[in-house]
Amino acid sequence: MTLIAEDLLLVLLDEQTGKPIVDSTKLPRVLAGALVLELAMNGSVRIGDENRVVVAGPPPADPLLARAHELVSSARSPLKPQKIIEKLYKKLDNEVASRLVRQGFVAEEQRKMLGLFPATSWPAKDPARRRAAIAWIGSAVVDGTTPQPEISALIALLSAIDAIPKVLPGVDKKAAKKRAKEIAEGEWASEAVRKAVQDVNAAVMAALMVPVIVTAGSS
């Protein structure tokens, strides 16, 4: 069983080049948001008062989810989703990609940017999972079918970073964005999980503003 974060990374990697189709600010943060959202979906955490994340169940067996759960449970006071994302995101894209390498979905290739700076890419090795996820996303966003909760979660997270048109190139961007937002806000999950979707997406968008503000302030 793959995590939502793993499927999310698969669809955000170019199948041929293995390079992310979103920038390095968005990618690890939306993956961290996916971990928080999956914990909420499986009942391990919930969004409590004042949009604070609190423990609601035992830690999952998966080590990545367990680490996120530990961050929630060990906090001196309940944290907001944005704070959890900021504590989880560093090098998370590399970590999730390494899992996909071990599962045989992607290969790992080392390269140099501009011939100088080392970088890693993850071209598809077995593209079936990625293509299936994109087909499910397209079916929901373009054809209007009702997606499964996991696909709804993927669509919600992609919508948060404005990546739906990149995952589904050639579609009507305005219509696709509108439909993705409708799915994210729809009745596909319990009220508690829908609240988690709203708060996690808001946290991802807020987290993306931090580097922009820092850069602007230093210029």
Side-chain angles (χ1 to χ4, degrees):
M1 178 181 176
T2 57
L3 300 183
I4 292 172
E6 292 173 332
D7 281 335
L8 182 60
L9 181 55
L10 276 177
V11 302
L12 290 175
L13 291 175
D14 182 272
E15 192 170 301
Q16 300 300 320
T17 67
K19 298 177 183 179
I21 61 176
V22 295
D23 65 50
S24 58
T25 299
K26 293 179 178 180
L27 185 59
R29 287 176 170 86
V30 76
L31 293 176
L35 295 181
V36 178
L37 181 52
E38 186 148 358
L39 287 176
M41 290 176 67
N42 67 26
S44 296
V45 304
R46 63 178 176 82
I47 309 294
D49 296 335
E50 299 181 348
N51 295 339
R52 305 276 176 169
V53 183
V54 296
V55 170
D62 184 273
L64 260 185
L65 292 177
R67 191 168 79 210
H69 187 276
E70 170 64 18
L71 181 60
V72 174
S73 64
S74 63
R76 291 185 178 180
S77 59
L79 302 173
K80 290 188 175 182
Q82 183 183 349
K83 190 67 173 179
I84 296 172
I85 288 168
E86 287 298 313
K87 287 179 176 290
L88 286 174
Y89 85 91
K90 291 181 181 178
K91 297 184 179 180
L92 186 58
D93 48 344
N94 290 276
E95 190 169 358
V96 176
S98 294
R99 291 167 60 109
L100 295 175
V101 171
R102 291 195 297 271
Q103 294 172 39
F105 292 120
V106 300
E108 182 174 291
E109 294 183 357
Q110 302 296 325
R111 55 189 171 85
K112 288 190 176 181
M113 297 176 61
L114 304 176
L116 297 172
F117 307 105
T120 306
S121 58
W122 300 278
K125 186 176 181 181
D126 177 0
R129 178 82 188 185
R130 178 181 187 274
R131 292 176 183 177
I134 291 176
W136 292 330
I137 292 168
S139 177
V141 171
V142 179
D143 301 330
T145 60
T146 301
Q148 295 294 317
E150 292 79 8
I151 299 302
S152 295
L154 278 179
I155 291 169
L157 291 159
L158 291 169
S159 180
I161 58 171
D162 197 25
I164 288 290
K166 294 185 177 182
V167 173
L168 300 173
V171 301
D172 182 316
K173 291 184 179 181
K174 185 176 181 180
K177 289 180 180 181
K178 181 175 182 291
R179 171 63 176 154
K181 186 177 180 181
E182 290 172 353
I183 291 171
E185 297 173 351
E187 301 291 323
W188 56 274
S190 67
E191 182 178 350
V193 170
R194 289 201 302 275
K195 171 126 174 51
V197 170
Q198 294 170 3
D199 290 341
V200 166
N201 281 8
V204 169
M205 289 185 282
L208 294 178
M209 293 302 298
V210 173
V212 175
I213 294 170
V214 171
T215 301
S218 61
S219 61

